Amino acid sequence: MRVHIATDHAGMELSSHLIGHLRESGYDVVDHGPQEYDANDDYPAFCINAAQAVADDWKAGVDALGIVLGGSGNGEQIAANKVRGIRAALAWNLDTARLARQHNDANVVAVGGRQHTVDEAAEIIDAFLAEPFSGDERHVRRIGQIARYEATGTTA
């Protein structure tokens, strides 16, 4: 599986750790930056680029998920969710990570680097990446409504 990752300055230590950890676990990791620490960086471009890469991979039939990191993960999740076809979920524990995949077929996870130790965050992300979508009809129906709204402005 390909994993696209992006961060802001607050998540750089976590991002660096995760890139190594995920590569060791066999994932094809693509780093969307930033490459250097800048306390005044603007995370939206990094996160949008990672989310767009996930969306592009899905369109091309490539198995891919994304990770966006920040101090809280909130802004990064919002930025990623601006990309058509992306369902980014903020995960703060193992349950929210797994449920994001099981129920929402989330394809990007947001995690706050200042909210967890590096090991806790890695566990949350591992849980997200490992969890399959349940495929239950009710979840498929609800995701379809979201996708219709995104495309047409209506859920009907």
Side-chain angles (χ1 to χ4, degrees):
M1 175 189 295
R2 186 172 298 153
V3 176
H4 296 276
I5 189 167
T7 189
D8 75 348
H9 62 277
M12 287 199 70
E13 178 185 346
L14 176 57
S15 180
S16 177
H17 172 79
L18 288 170
I19 289 168
H21 169 75
L22 294 172
R23 284 182 176 152
E24 287 174 11
S25 298
Y27 292 100
D28 173 17
V29 180
V30 180
D31 183 4
H32 293 271
Q35 302 308 314
E36 296 178 7
Y37 180 85
D38 177 357
N40 292 312
D41 67 4
D42 294 322
Y43 62 84
F46 302 123
C47 295
I48 289 169
N49 288 341
Q52 186 63 59
V54 171
D56 291 346
D57 274 353
W58 278 43
K59 287 178 194 167
V62 176
D63 188 21
L65 293 172
I67 301 165
V68 293
L69 307 167
S72 69
N74 284 307
E76 295 75 19
Q77 175 202 23
I78 291 167
N81 273 318
K82 298 303 178 187
V83 175
R84 186 176 294 234
I86 293 301
R87 290 177 303 282
L90 179 64
W92 61 90
N93 61 29
L94 295 175
D95 285 340
T96 58
R98 290 181 183 123
L99 288 170
R101 292 285 302 134
Q102 285 175 9
H103 291 188
N104 306 110
D105 199 15
N107 46 18
V108 173
V109 64
V111 174
R114 292 181 177 155
Q115 311 305 310
H116 309 281
T117 67
V118 170
D119 291 337
E120 289 170 344
E123 271 190 277
I124 290 167
I125 288 165
D126 285 344
F128 177 85
L129 295 175
E131 192 67 36
F133 175 53
S134 70
D136 289 352
E137 187 277 330
R138 65 191 169 120
H139 300 308
V140 171
R141 182 180 69 245
R142 294 165 185 162
I143 292 166
Q145 290 172 0
I146 294 167
R148 272 191 300 285
Y149 183 81
E150 188 175 52
T152 68
T154 181
T155 58

